[in-house]
Amino acid sequence: MDSSLSSLLEKAVRNGQLLSSSLENIRLLLAGAQGDTAPRAVDELARQGAWQELNDRFYKTLSFGTGGLRGRTIGSIVTSAEQGAGGPNGRPEHPAVGTACMNHFNVGRAMRGLIIYMRRFLTEAGIGRRPLIAIGHDTRHFSRDFAEFCARIATDLGCDTALFDGPCSTPEVSFAIRELNADAGVVITASHNPAHDNGFKAYFADGAQLIAPHDKGVIAEVNRLTSDAYEPLPETERGALRILGPEFDRIFMDRLKTIILRPAEFERGGSSVVYTRLHGTGGRCIIPLLRELGCKVSTVAAQDELDGRFPTVASPNPENAPALAMAIEQANATRADIVIATDPDSDRMGIAARNASGEMELLTGNQIGSLLLWYRCMTMLETGMITPQNLSHTTVIKTFVTTPLQDAIAHSFGIPVVNVLTGFKYIAAKLGKYEEAIPAELRRGYRGMSERQTRALRLEHSRFFVFGGEESYGYLAQDFVRDKDANAAALLIAELAAWAANRGTSLLQILEKIFTQFGVYLEAGKSLVMEGADGAAKIAALAQSYSDAPPTVMDGARVAAVRDYSKGDLTDAEGDPIPAEKMLFVDLEDGRSFAVRPSGTEPKIKYYLFAHGAPGSDVAASRTRVSAVLGSLWAALEADARHRMA
């Protein structure tokens, strides 16, 4: 850093314009940065007096959250140094400069930190072979660049690498890790975030995202790296690169077909589907699979294009109604029964279904998960896949903030439920536990076994995973993928819709019957968004305030119970310790409840509100009452949050 820039930055710190942590991180990045893009970009922003932008880019170094590494890859202000000659789909030539941004500096450090930790882990385990890493990416800006960059680092540092030939879904990478017996995996994606974001998701040898102690171990290695420069091994010691293409997709798709419980439903006619990939990766496997199964499916042509700008939607998030607008319009024009939408990396799925008035109605993630859970429990028992005699060896796994309706449904079939923290890595950890519980001599070759074989082993020696999910539109019904999977979810909802149509009913009519049996369960997901360096501090302070001073009354109802997960002293239904997480769960005496937690991947603090009515009551009237008490609870929580931040 030249002296004039250094003086300008130091003066900004003294004037309170630039955070001292930002200056420290600017120096860290510039000391190790390759090329002139980074120093030019910092100099340009400083000369403009863009202190907020510099703070947002440098107030921290990206760290792993529930979804890995995630941040802006295109700044709010794009400098001329970053814009350069420009890139595909209207993006800048270079990603945003900053320690809090997704760029080659952070991606490189993350990849090298993962490799260092993985190699040490293998060495300590007495495994002397060359490591293998699987790498995939979505359709976002710089995703292919970052994936190829990671592959180059891996091979340069002596790791064999399996790189997908183009955009692929996150769950397919999880599958690839297990199928190829890889030691780790990486997906370049920011899931359903805005177009300016990207991310780095790290997986371990089990095909699941990193959990303790691996997550902390990798981050410790990443934090020791202060430069994006590294020394490649001699050519004879470098790893080999393998490209995964259509032949690997075929292996994945054939395994996915095995989770269908009643394939004949598609052959009997079933329902018609409009599917949109929202410019993402879902079409790679979902479209051919649905057509092979005999599903009547059409796609939204304008959204088939792989484009990181996501030009036809304000947000590529399938839980938002506007994202499904084009698909719903097409469904209305063709009289299709349901709409299926998946996010850019195809791990989340949203749907719309036709109601009694003939209009397309969006379902929440909680409702979709409840329908799929009900159908799988009912069908597995009807077909003898599971029996009353082995129900104690089955399980449903969901997150604490997913609707308790799913607990009620599973328990009505006699199936145990385990609630875990937010993040599919915790569901995956349970699946790993159940696999390990099978005697070693019997589980040899487990990953190559069929679903029928592994189900038999788990039902006899461990626990068979019936279904799992989270309220944020993530679902899983199989053991051979260890992350949420919209490819599988699309098949499952299409199967359920076909089953319903063949019996003269519909998804929404089934949901109505479930509400009649168990009572109307409604949930509300709310959040307070606070971006940038200032926002991060406010989120942290607000989250801490709930732990320091939990509420005793909310919206006129006394608090019946408080569960503070930040203490790290709670256990789950199986007696396993629950890792410490900043989340407070509050039960009110009137039956309502709510949870509050800071997001691990987005600049927001999240609120989860729950309420339900009595079974057997008038569903429409009960829905109105429950919705009203949820609205009242949110108004009280908002007012309480403002008071806490005052």
Side-chain angles (χ1 to χ4, degrees):
M1 184 190 308
D2 66 57
S3 58
S4 64
L5 177 58
S6 181
S7 296
L8 181 59
L9 295 173
E10 289 169 358
K11 180 181 178 183
V13 172
R14 290 194 300 271
N15 292 340
Q17 298 165 306
L18 186 68
L19 297 171
S20 56
S21 61
S22 296
L23 177 56
E24 181 181 345
N25 285 328
I26 288 171
R27 285 175 169 156
L28 168 70
L29 185 140
L30 295 187
Q34 303 295 296
D36 66 350
T37 302
R40 285 175 54 212
V42 171
D43 187 83
E44 185 176 334
L45 291 171
R47 305 293 176 193
Q48 291 176 4
W51 305 119
Q52 186 61 55
E53 178 74 3
L54 282 169
N55 280 328
D56 290 347
R57 291 176 178 228
F58 286 98
Y59 74 99
K60 67 173 183 178
T61 297
L62 288 184
S63 59
F64 284 98
T66 56
L69 199 70
R70 196 176 292 190
R72 290 190 75 117
T73 196
I74 298 176
S76 298
I77 300 173
V78 177
T79 67
S80 59
E82 292 160 343
Q83 181 60 36
N89 291 332
R91 66 159 223 215
E93 182 179 1
H94 306 287
V97 171
T99 56
C101 299
M102 272 295 296
N103 47 40
H104 290 91
F105 177 82
N106 272 322
V107 170
R109 291 170 66 237
M111 190 67 192
R112 287 159 56 213
L114 174 63
I115 291 170
I116 292 168
Y117 179 82
M118 178 189 64
R119 296 193 76 125
R120 186 175 73 245
F121 179 85
L122 292 177
T123 299
E124 292 174 353
I127 301 172
R129 60 171 170 73
R130 182 179 288 170
L132 171 62
I133 302 178
I135 300 174
H137 66 89
D138 67 7
T139 61
R140 289 179 173 273
H141 296 310
F142 298 102
S143 281
R144 185 66 187 181
D145 306 62
F146 290 152
E148 291 178 345
F149 182 56
C150 287
R152 184 167 68 251
I153 291 173
T155 54
D156 281 351
L157 297 181
C159 300
D160 290 336
T161 306
L163 174 66
F164 279 85
D165 62 354
C168 69
S169 69
T170 288
E172 188 171 2
V173 178
S174 173
F175 173 77
I177 295 166
R178 295 179 61 79
E179 180 71 14
L180 302 174
N181 290 312
D183 301 291
V186 168
V187 185
I188 304 298
T189 179
S191 192
H192 58 289
N193 274 34
H196 54 62
D197 284 357
N198 214 324
F200 177 103
K201 293 180 75 170
Y203 292 77
F204 219 59
D206 58 353
Q209 289 185 64
L210 300 179
I211 58 172
H214 302 314
D215 54 353
K216 294 178 176 60
V218 170
I219 260 307
E221 296 297 343
V222 172
N223 288 341
R224 291 189 184 100
L225 301 173
T226 59
S227 169
D228 55 359
Y230 67 93
E231 189 67 34
L233 293 173
E235 196 164 337
T236 55
E237 299 177 26
R238 296 177 193 172
L241 176 64
R242 173 185 174 184
I243 301 298
L244 301 179
E247 76 293 337
F248 191 83
D249 296 339
R250 185 70 267 166
I251 297 171
F252 181 48
M253 291 191 293
D254 286 344
R255 288 299 297 271
L256 284 172
K257 282 184 176 180
T258 65
I259 68 171
I260 296 296
L261 301 180
R262 301 180 193 263
E265 296 298 337
F266 292 106
E267 299 167 9
R268 291 178 58 192
S271 61
S272 56
V273 175
V274 172
Y275 168 69
T276 174
R277 65 175 74 185
L278 298 180
H279 305 285
T281 62
R284 180 166 181 145
C285 293
I286 290 174
I287 296 170
L289 270 173
L290 287 175
R291 288 176 176 161
E292 286 176 19
L293 287 165
C295 179
K296 295 172 286 188
V297 59
S298 64
T299 67
V300 180
Q303 295 177 331
D304 284 341
E305 184 180 357
L306 305 182
D307 190 337
R309 292 172 295 185
F310 313 118
T312 64
V313 293
S315 168
N317 189 342
E319 67 184 88
N320 296 337
L324 278 69
M326 293 183 71
I328 288 174
E329 181 181 358
Q330 183 168 318
N332 285 331
T334 61
R335 302 305 298 169
D337 299 299
I338 65 169
V339 161
I340 299 175
T342 56
D343 66 345
D345 68 325
S346 198
D347 64 352
R348 283 178 168 86
M349 178 196 74
I351 72 165
R354 202 167 296 285
N355 62 24
S357 301
E359 299 173 339
M360 298 301 291
E361 184 175 318
L362 267 68
L363 279 73
T364 69
N366 280 314
Q367 292 169 345
I368 297 167
S370 297
L371 283 167
L372 293 176
L373 171 63
W374 173 85
Y375 177 73
R376 291 187 73 77
C377 291
M378 177 266 295
T379 302
M380 284 184 174
L381 278 163
E382 281 189 357
T383 59
M385 289 184 179
I386 57 178
T387 67
Q389 290 71 40
N390 59 29
L391 284 178
S392 62
H393 283 261
T394 65
T395 189
V396 166
I397 313 173
K398 57 180 278 291
T399 64
F400 288 107
V401 296
T402 297
T403 178
L405 173 58
Q406 292 177 18
D407 299 77
I409 291 171
H411 289 153
S412 75
F413 287 100
I415 296 174
V417 179
V418 181
N419 283 277
V420 297
L421 293 174
T422 299
F424 249 77
K425 60 185 180 181
Y426 297 114
I427 295 178
K430 287 290 185 182
L431 298 182
K433 171 190 169 183
Y434 304 148
E435 180 182 345
E436 289 296 315
I438 301 169
E441 67 274 12
L442 297 179
R443 71 170 187 269
R444 193 171 293 113
Y446 182 87
R447 297 184 183 185
M449 296 179 187
S450 68
E451 280 297 282
R452 181 186 295 271
Q453 291 171 313
T454 63
R455 182 172 67 249
L457 284 174
R458 285 174 282 165
L459 284 172
E460 183 175 355
H461 302 283
S462 180
R463 285 187 182 271
F464 169 63
F465 173 63
V466 174
F467 186 74
E470 58 187 7
E471 43 68 48
S472 54
Y473 296 73
Y475 326 95
L476 187 66
Q478 72 270 35
D479 182 54
F480 54 82
V481 169
R482 296 291 171 90
D483 205 350
K484 54 186 172 288
D485 186 358
N487 303 288
L491 301 188
L492 299 183
I493 202 67
E495 178 190 354
L496 173 52
W499 179 89
N502 290 334
R503 284 153 184 81
T505 186
S506 68
L507 297 184
L508 289 171
Q509 287 175 314
I510 294 171
L511 184 62
E512 194 91 351
K513 290 180 180 179
I514 290 173
F515 280 163
T516 300
Q517 179 179 353
F518 298 102
V520 172
Y521 281 75
L522 295 182
E523 304 77 32
K526 302 291 185 178
S527 60
L528 300 176
V529 178
M530 291 170 265
E531 296 186 328
D534 293 342
K538 290 177 181 177
I539 289 171
L542 179 56
Q544 186 61 43
S545 78
Y546 288 104
S547 184
D548 293 341
T552 57
V553 177
M554 187 61 62
D555 193 29
R558 293 184 61 82
V559 170
V562 173
R563 297 185 295 283
D564 187 349
Y565 292 90
S566 70
K567 308 296 185 186
D569 57 358
L570 300 175
T571 56
D572 64 27
E574 295 180 338
D576 294 331
I578 300 171
E581 179 179 282
K582 283 206 172 291
M583 180 173 76
L584 198 79
F585 207 109
V586 177
D587 297 317
L588 303 179
E589 288 185 347
D590 65 4
R592 291 178 296 172
S593 58
F594 67 90
V596 56
R597 58 176 284 271
S599 172
T601 58
E602 298 171 281
K604 60 178 64 171
I605 188 164
K606 293 186 171 183
Y607 295 81
Y608 306 83
L609 287 64
F610 306 90
H612 65 275
S617 58
D618 180 89
V619 170
S622 182
R623 189 191 293 267
T624 300
R625 287 193 301 270
V626 174
S627 180
V629 298
L630 275 181
S632 179
L633 178 57
W634 173 236
L637 282 167
E638 271 194 301
D640 179 69
R642 286 195 295 269
H643 176 73
R644 289 172 181 271
M645 292 189 291

